[in-house]
Amino acid sequence: MESLGERRIALISFAILCIAAFLTRLMPLHLSQFPFNNDSMTECGISSEIISSGNIDFGEDSLWYGTHAISTPFFNILIAFFASATGTVPLACAQIIGATLSVVIVGAFFYLGHAMSGNMRGGLIAALMAVMMGTFVFTTGSVWKTSLGLCILSL
């Protein structure tokens, strides 16, 4: 059984890890407001088309037909929804969505680690692993597919 002091320290540490994950993902934003890789640009283009057409059906005449991005429409729909809900364009909000998703992933790993180990330290180690894992950090350059995989794995 953990004391109140240990729980408080663990929760403060967890908050710091979430902030670190969020800020790591937003690092490229200080260089440019646009997404930071080719996948992101494709996803934003498809999201713009979803917003303008109102559907996710891309025919053979579509610019995006045959790309890998239409096979996995999760991020396309997420970006389109967020952009429509906030009144922005997909290019302006893609990096913020990726950073927010990273906090959800770190939180889910914290919960899993806590549930599996039975104490807060296990949750912190799992969250720290998620924040520091190479592919998670490197997804700053390729956020979409790895974040989706980690999110599904942790949830």
Side-chain angles (χ1 to χ4, degrees):
M1 185 83 153
E2 297 142 356
S3 69
L4 184 59
E6 288 177 341
R7 291 191 109 178
R8 187 173 292 144
I9 290 171
L11 291 176
I12 290 170
S13 300
F14 171 67
I16 291 169
L17 288 175
C18 286
I19 291 168
F22 188 76
L23 293 178
T24 300
R25 289 298 186 83
L26 284 184
M27 259 193 223
L29 192 58
H30 83 281
L31 299 173
S32 172
Q33 69 177 11
F34 298 116
F36 30 80
N37 68 1
N38 294 337
D39 269 358
S40 307
M41 297 297 275
T42 303
E43 302 283 352
C44 289
I46 292 171
S47 298
S48 295
E49 195 166 316
I50 290 172
I51 292 170
S52 64
S53 69
N55 64 51
I56 60 170
D57 183 33
F58 298 100
E60 290 183 19
D61 60 334
S62 173
L63 175 67
W64 312 112
Y65 184 77
T67 63
H68 71 283
I70 61 172
S71 303
T72 54
F74 173 77
F75 282 111
N76 305 333
I77 295 168
L78 181 67
I79 294 170
F81 172 77
F82 190 86
S84 294
T86 58
T88 60
V89 294
L91 284 172
C93 64
Q95 288 190 26
I96 295 168
I97 292 170
T100 305
L101 187 60
S102 72
V103 173
V104 171
I105 293 167
V106 169
F109 270 75
F110 176 81
Y111 175 76
L112 276 177
H114 180 267
M116 293 169 89
S117 69
N119 65 30
M120 296 292 251
R121 286 186 194 137
L124 282 176
I125 296 300
L128 181 63
M129 184 275 311
V131 170
M132 300 302 289
M133 185 174 63
T135 55
F136 188 69
V137 173
F138 292 138
T139 57
T140 304
S142 181
V143 67
W144 309 111
K145 306 305 185 272
T146 304
S147 289
L148 177 60
L150 285 173
C151 193
I152 291 171
L153 172 71
S154 62
L155 295 177

